[in-house]
Amino acid sequence: MIEVKIQPVSNGLGVVLPQEVLSQLNATDGECIFLENMFDGSYRLAKHDEKFIEEMTLVDGQMHEEDS
């Protein structure tokens, strides 16, 4: 687990991501990354991935409440 500290940034709050995290995300300066709320209440930091979004949309369309 990697700890990051919440700190003031301009008129809000932010965190500085360590280089290790940026490397794993393959993220660079100016790119958008997303904080996704997961079903268990946790969050996931992810780089926008069109292919993944398409796959999840297909899965979501195939899942039904009675299947769970």
Side-chain angles (χ1 to χ4, degrees), residues 28-48:
T28 59
D29 187 21
E31 280 188 293
C32 288
I33 54 176
F34 297 86
L35 190 59
E36 296 181 83
N37 190 348
M38 305 305 286
F39 293 114
D40 64 0
S42 65
Y43 285 86
R44 179 176 93 102
L45 189 62
K47 188 171 178 182
H48 185 70

Side-chain angles (χ1 to χ4, degrees), residues 11-25:
N11 293 331
L13 298 173
V15 295
V16 175
L17 298 176
Q19 187 58 48
E20 173 187 352
V21 173
L22 294 171
S23 294
Q24 288 177 0
L25 287 169

Side-chain angles (χ1 to χ4, degrees), residues 1-7 14-21:
M1 186 179 306
I2 298 172
E3 182 177 326
V4 294
K5 184 178 180 180
I6 300 171
Q7 55 193 14
V15 295
V16 175
L17 298 176
Q19 187 58 48
E20 173 187 352
V21 173

